[in-house]
């Protein structure tokens, strides 16, 4: 008789055991898929470990629970013991259900099959070969196989990736390349296809994303599970691929927040996951991009890991336009920018104008009572869109017809304020000759990625055109394989990032302007781009425009260290929802009190072991957007540092002592190290 420890492929509350015990009369190898009974239903599970019951008979008899028998063995092992341990590490690091990570490892195409026999048939093709020999456990104290490759030109990065991929494939190992957006997957694949050497001629090049058909996803999983010759270009969904045949992982555009999966369970970061993979499985990882994020740069610096940077990281100059000197209330473009735009079109050249706000007017304000017309579901100010003549909530997609009187006091003096991409488009069309093609690339005008891509290529292929680019265009700007020649370029507005109360906003501003600067430098050649601002004296803006990456990172490290923000701590963001503001506040206050009590106990325990814990619990407060889908939102922020490496077992174990004090409830959601704290 054997005790079989399994991970059910379903979500279990964090307060429950994540690994459950069953028994079998025969040994079942770890990594196998079995069916078990759970809460009066049959579910699939992955075998985590198997132990003989010979020495545990007394323990079994004295147990309060009766062990159930495994119903059936569905497949041979699909995953190595090291991969299963990595799953458990993900569960602990992200404070997410282990069952959700396990479920994501099995293709959805198989999970939704009605027939067990068909499941067996398809799982059979994913099994480890009988002759597979598990690798020896690695010493986690040896140097991490992680490096950073910073290069402003995407084609040069892709060339380096291909060179590293060739070396890996020649050693009979596969390659996984992570990209944040689907469009970047196309660009990387196109480069590999156009420039592949003889060494890669017979290597399958596959693309994976959430939009890939379920059957095609299964075939890609089958390739990575059974072949040692492949290159997979994938978005964040690829973090769940089998890893036993992988010899190299590359993460392109590493600072991009699209590498975070915080829109659905299980929540995770591709970057943090890749560090855990390198640490646990010793698979080499390359973080690449035109810049490297502050946290990853710090991690590599502290661990003395290779960091390739451009030889001369010189910043390009900008024309900074102080909008306070231009008093026209309605004009979006300052006269110097408008004149440069007109000249560019007269010379039959392209122009690109970046603006960080979409819509026509960004908010409606009543001067009589001070009310702002807001979404009834989430409290976000409604944006007026002239196309379709609608007020739209950009947070939850609520729409309503424009109002002619204040909803709060019924005053007819309601005013439309703010300047978005629609208003900019309207003004440009008045400024330029009628025949001038003016395109707008934002998520409202073009909600489909395919339409955005088509617009970008149309702009790139035709001279004498103007593109109004919102943040949705940054993925095309970053992935552009060839410079797009421009006659002028300008950042019309980016002041929004200067006004948001988020410790990460200086980095977001810096990364955005760096992308635009590198694009403009190649596109404009000897002409400086413009940037309009109402805050030219802003220190954050000055540094974002003038200092190099290392100087900026060093400055941000000093600022974040002073407040114990990441990367000097783990940030645990706890979101609390309530039926009313008072209900949400009461729940948040109760949780905060629980965490304070637990913090004191942990500090005493740590002192006995000569461990210095740094725990900061920021008092409960309304979220930046305090109302969502009719629920009121409060949040509690916890900053946790242990003195250990943030990815080490010791650090995660100590942090877990605190997380276990957070009650499992539908009103409470956790995020570990979110990219921003105002977007959830």
């Amino acid at each position: 008789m054997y005790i079989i420890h399994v991970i059910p492929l379903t979500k279990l509350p964090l307060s429950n055991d994540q690994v459950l015990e069953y028994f079998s009369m025969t040994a079942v190898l770890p990594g196998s898929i079995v069916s078990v009974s759970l809460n009066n239903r049959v579910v699939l599970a992955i075998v985590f470990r198997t132990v003989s019951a010979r020495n545990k008979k007394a323990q079994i008899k004295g147990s309060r629970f009766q062990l159930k028998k495994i119903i059936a063995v569905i497949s041979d092992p699909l995953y190595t013991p090291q991969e299963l341990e990595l799953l458990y590490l993900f569960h602990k690091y992200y404070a997410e259900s282990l069952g959700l990570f396990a479920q994501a490892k099995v293709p959805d195409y198989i999970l939704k099959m009605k027939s067990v026999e068909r499941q067996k048939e398809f799982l059979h093709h994913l099994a480890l070969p009988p002759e597979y020999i598990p690798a020896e456990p690695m010493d986690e104290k040896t140097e991490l196989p992680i490096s950073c490759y910073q290069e402003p030109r995407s084609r040069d990065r892709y060339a380096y990736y291909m060179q590293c991929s060739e070396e890996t494939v020649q050693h009979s190992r596969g390659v996984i390349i992570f990209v944040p957006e689907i469009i970047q997957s196309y660009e990387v694949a196109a480069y590999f296809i156009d420039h592949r050497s003889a060494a890669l001629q017979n290597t399958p090049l596959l693309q994976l994303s959430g939009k890939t058909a379920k059957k095609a996803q299964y075939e890609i999983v089958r390739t990575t599970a059974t072949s040692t010759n492949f290159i997979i270009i994938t978005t964040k969904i690829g973090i769940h691929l089998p890893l036993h045949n992988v010899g190299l992982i590359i993460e392109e555009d590493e600072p991009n927040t699209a590498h975070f999966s915080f829109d659905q369970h299980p929540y995770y970061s591709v970057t943090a996951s890749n560090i855990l993979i390198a640490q646990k499985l010793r698979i080499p990882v390359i973080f690449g991009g035109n810049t490297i994020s502050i946290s990853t740069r710090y991690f590599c610096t502290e661990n003395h890991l290779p960091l390739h940077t451009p030889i001369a990281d010189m910043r390009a100059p900008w024309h900074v336009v102080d909008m306070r000197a231009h008093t026209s209330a309605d004009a979006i473009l300052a006269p110097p920018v408008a004149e440069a735009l007109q000249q560019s079109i007269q010379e039959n050249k392209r122009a690109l104008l970046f603006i960080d706000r979409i819509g026509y007017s960004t908010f409606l304000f009543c001067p009589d009572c001070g009310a702002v017309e807001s979404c009834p579901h989430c409290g976000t100010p409604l944006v007026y869109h002239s196309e379709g003549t609608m007020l739209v909530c950009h947070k939850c997609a609520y729409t309503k017809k424009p109002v002619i009187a204040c909803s709060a006091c019924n005053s007819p003096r309601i005013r439309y304020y703010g300047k978005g991409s629609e208003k900019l488009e309207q003004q440009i069309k008045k400024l330029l000759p009628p025949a001038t093609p003016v395109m707008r690339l934002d998520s409202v005008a073009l909600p489909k990625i395919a339409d955005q891509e088509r617009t970008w290529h149309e702009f790139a292929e035709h001279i004498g055109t103007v593109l109004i680019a919102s943040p949705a265009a940054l993925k095309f700007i970053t992935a552009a394989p060839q410079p797009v020649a421009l006659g002028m370029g300008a950042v019309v507005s980016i002041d929004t990032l200067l006004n948001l109360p988020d410790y990460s906003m200086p980095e977001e501003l810096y990364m955005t302007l760096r992308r635009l600067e590198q694009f403009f430098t190649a596109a404009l050649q000897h002409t400086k781009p413009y940037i309009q601002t109402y805050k030219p004296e802003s220190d954050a803006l000055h540094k974002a425009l003038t200092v190099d990456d290392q100087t900026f990172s060093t400055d941000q490290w000093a600022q974040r260290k002073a407040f114990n923000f990441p990367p000097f701590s783990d940030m645990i963001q706890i979101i609390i929802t309530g039926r009313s503001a008072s209900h949400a506040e009461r729940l948040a206050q109760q949780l905060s009190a629980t965490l304070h009590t637990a913090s004191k106990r942990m500090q005493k325990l740590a002192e006995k072991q000569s461990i210095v814990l740094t725990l900061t619990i920021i008092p409960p407060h309304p979220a930046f957007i305090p109302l969502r889908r009719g629920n009121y939102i409060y949040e509690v922020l916890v900053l946790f540092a242990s003195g250990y490496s943030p990815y080490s077992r010791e650090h995660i174990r100590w942090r877990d002592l605190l997380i276990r004090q957070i009650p499992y409830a539908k009103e409470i959601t956790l995020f570990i190290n979110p990219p921003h704290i105002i977007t959830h």
Side-chain angles (χ1 to χ4, degrees):
M1 179 176 169
Y2 295 86
I3 306 299
I4 313 297
H5 300 256
V6 305
I7 307 169
L9 304 188
T10 187
K11 182 178 181 179
L12 295 177
L14 282 179
S15 54
N16 292 10
D17 290 335
Q18 301 292 301
V19 180
L20 306 182
E21 293 184 356
Y22 293 80
F23 80 89
S24 171
M25 300 311 295
T26 57
V28 184
L29 293 174
S32 303
I33 302 294
V34 297
S35 59
V36 298
S37 174
L38 179 65
N39 297 330
N40 298 318
R41 62 192 180 102
V42 176
V43 300
L44 296 181
I46 297 178
V47 176
F48 190 59
R49 72 172 69 91
T50 297
V51 296
S52 172
R54 182 177 303 169
N55 300 322
K56 293 195 174 186
K57 291 182 179 179
Q59 181 181 340
I60 294 171
K61 288 181 179 179
S63 172
R64 292 180 299 151
F65 305 101
Q66 182 178 358
L67 278 182
K68 295 180 181 179
K69 187 178 181 180
I70 294 289
I71 295 175
V73 177
I74 307 298
S75 80
D76 291 332
L78 307 184
Y79 308 105
T80 66
Q82 290 91 340
E83 286 179 280
L84 297 178
E85 290 174 15
L86 179 68
L87 271 186
Y88 194 81
L89 197 57
F90 282 0
H91 146 63
K92 286 296 186 181
Y93 181 83
Y94 295 112
E96 273 280 21
S97 168
L98 177 58
L100 287 182
F101 279 113
Q103 185 183 74
K105 292 288 283 186
V106 179
D108 204 41
Y109 182 72
I110 294 176
L111 292 176
K112 292 189 175 179
M113 289 178 176
K114 302 290 185 182
S115 165
V116 174
E117 292 306 314
R118 275 179 56 79
Q119 287 181 327
K120 286 184 177 181
E121 176 188 350
F122 279 83
L123 285 169
H124 172 74
H125 297 301
L126 305 181
L128 295 171
E131 67 275 11
Y132 182 84
I133 301 175
E136 290 294 324
M138 292 287 189
D139 182 2
E140 294 186 12
K141 294 182 180 179
T142 59
E143 182 176 315
L144 286 171
I146 294 175
S147 62
C148 294
Y149 190 82
Q150 180 185 342
E151 170 55 55
R153 292 171 294 275
S154 60
R155 291 177 67 84
D156 290 345
R157 294 198 304 275
Y158 300 165
Y160 177 70
Y161 300 160
M162 190 163 70
Q163 175 189 338
C164 296
S165 298
E166 287 177 2
E167 295 172 0
T168 302
V169 168
Q170 286 173 350
H171 286 86
S172 299
R173 306 297 287 171
V175 179
I176 297 177
I177 303 176
F178 287 97
V179 293
E181 307 271 4
I182 294 175
I183 178 62
Q184 287 159 293
S185 172
Y186 300 152
E187 297 293 349
V188 174
Y191 183 90
F192 270 59
I193 291 170
D194 292 343
H195 298 84
R196 73 165 74 195
S197 64
L200 295 179
Q201 285 298 325
N202 297 319
T203 300
L205 183 66
L206 306 172
Q207 293 175 260
L208 174 66
S209 74
K211 295 188 179 297
T212 305
K214 299 299 182 185
K215 178 68 181 295
Q217 288 185 20
Y218 164 79
E219 293 297 341
I220 292 172
V221 171
R222 180 176 177 177
T223 297
T224 56
T226 60
S227 172
T228 57
N229 180 32
F230 58 82
I231 297 175
I232 311 293
I233 304 172
T234 176
T235 56
K236 53 183 173 278
I237 192 176
I239 208 70
H240 307 299
L241 288 170
L243 295 170
H244 46 268
N245 290 323
V246 176
L248 175 65
I249 293 173
I250 299 169
E251 186 178 329
E252 161 62 355
D253 197 8
E254 178 269 334
N256 197 314
T257 56
H259 280 304
F260 290 79
S261 174
F262 289 127
D263 53 350
Q264 61 181 3
H265 291 283
Y267 301 130
Y268 60 89
S269 153
V270 171
T271 302
S273 299
N274 282 334
I275 291 175
L276 292 170
I277 289 170
Q279 177 180 284
K280 185 65 188 174
L281 304 183
R282 284 308 192 263
I283 297 174
V285 173
I286 299 171
F287 295 116
N290 56 0
T291 56
I292 301 296
S293 71
I294 286 173
S295 292
T296 301
R297 185 183 290 269
Y298 180 78
F299 179 81
C300 290
T301 301
E302 285 294 291
N303 289 278
H304 309 289
L305 301 174
L307 175 60
H308 166 87
T309 56
I311 296 174
D313 189 15
M314 302 293 291
R315 297 301 302 272
W318 291 75
H319 285 297
V320 180
V321 180
D322 185 352
M323 292 299 288
R324 296 172 300 185
H326 306 284
T327 56
S328 174
D330 193 52
I332 300 181
L333 297 182
V337 180
E339 291 167 9
L341 175 62
Q342 289 173 316
Q343 181 180 348
S344 178
I345 296 305
Q346 287 172 4
E347 295 174 357
N348 202 27
K349 296 179 179 178
R350 300 180 193 85
L352 187 144
L353 303 173
F354 180 86
I355 184 169
D356 62 351
R357 306 300 295 269
I358 60 178
Y360 190 88
S361 297
T362 51
F363 67 99
L364 283 70
F365 176 76
C366 176
D368 290 342
C369 71
V372 173
E373 199 71 23
S374 300
C375 174
H377 300 301
C378 66
T380 305
L382 295 174
V383 176
Y384 173 64
H385 287 265
S386 59
E387 295 177 356
T389 320
M390 297 293 288
L391 296 176
V392 179
C393 173
H394 290 164
K395 187 69 179 178
C396 68
Y398 168 81
T399 61
K400 65 182 286 188
K401 293 182 178 179
V403 297
I404 58 174
C406 174
S407 298
C409 71
N410 208 34
S411 169
R413 297 206 310 137
I414 193 165
R415 296 289 182 267
Y416 287 63
Y417 289 95
K419 301 160 185 177
S421 54
E422 282 185 34
K423 184 179 284 189
L424 177 59
E425 179 183 25
Q426 184 187 84
Q427 290 193 7
I428 287 175
K429 287 181 176 179
K430 292 179 180 178
L431 185 68
L432 300 176
T436 305
V438 178
M439 309 172 192
R440 198 174 93 237
L441 201 165
D442 64 43
S443 56
V444 173
L446 303 169
K448 294 182 179 179
I449 294 291
D451 293 333
Q452 294 177 13
E453 183 180 6
R454 192 179 305 111
T455 297
W456 174 262
H457 287 304
E458 187 178 344
F459 168 70
E461 293 167 2
H462 294 86
I463 57 176
T465 55
V466 179
L467 180 68
I468 298 168
S470 75
L474 286 174
K475 54 181 169 284
F476 302 100
I477 288 171
T478 301
Q482 297 284 0
V484 179
L486 300 178
M488 74 85 65
V491 175
V492 174
S493 170
I494 203 167
D495 283 1
T496 302
L497 292 178
L498 296 173
N499 300 320
L500 294 175
D502 193 319
Y503 80 97
S504 65
M505 280 307 143
E507 180 177 16
E508 185 73 13
L509 176 70
Y510 184 87
M511 296 296 178
T512 300
L513 289 177
R514 266 303 233 175
R515 292 167 190 263
L516 291 167
E517 174 193 312
Q518 289 164 356
F519 174 76
F520 284 145
T521 299
L524 292 171
Q525 297 180 343
H526 304 297
T527 304
K528 291 192 292 186
Y530 293 86
I531 181 169
Q532 299 184 161
T533 178
Y534 286 92
K535 293 187 173 183
E537 74 286 350
S538 164
D539 182 62
L541 180 61
H542 172 73
K543 288 175 179 174
L545 291 174
T546 59
V547 303
D548 61 44
D549 286 8
Q550 186 59 49
T551 302
F552 178 78
S553 296
T554 303
D555 177 75
Q556 282 294 298
W557 293 342
Q559 292 188 35
R560 294 187 182 191
K561 188 173 184 179
F563 295 97
N564 199 33
F565 282 135
F568 299 94
S569 69
D570 275 343
M571 176 176 282
I572 307 169
Q573 183 185 32
I574 309 170
I575 303 294
I576 302 103
T577 61
R579 299 181 302 275
S580 64
S582 60
H583 179 223
E585 182 180 15
R586 184 172 66 256
L587 291 176
Q589 293 288 359
Q590 291 171 353
L591 176 59
S592 180
T594 299
L595 293 175
H596 275 287
T597 302
S599 172
K600 292 176 182 178
R601 289 200 303 266
M602 288 176 61
Q603 294 282 11
K604 290 180 181 179
L605 180 62
E607 287 174 8
K608 292 179 180 179
Q609 301 182 30
S610 301
I611 295 171
V612 179
L613 294 184
T614 305
L615 253 165
T616 304
I617 301 173
I618 299 174
H621 52 275
F624 183 70
I625 299 176
L627 181 67
R628 299 174 204 171
R629 297 182 180 88
N631 290 315
Y632 291 83
I633 312 296
Y634 265 68
E635 68 179 9
V636 176
L637 297 176
V638 180
L639 301 173
F640 178 86
S642 65
Y644 293 107
S645 165
Y647 300 98
S648 68
R649 289 182 179 275
E650 294 83 359
H651 174 84
I652 295 171
R653 181 174 63 84
W654 278 99
R655 192 189 66 188
D656 187 54
L657 292 177
L658 184 70
I659 288 176
R660 276 191 277 170
Q661 306 306 312
I662 301 172
Y664 180 84
K666 64 179 181 180
E667 297 91 352
I668 296 176
T669 305
L670 267 68
F671 297 98
I672 305 297
N673 294 322
H676 307 303
I677 58 176
I678 64 172
T679 53
H680 298 300

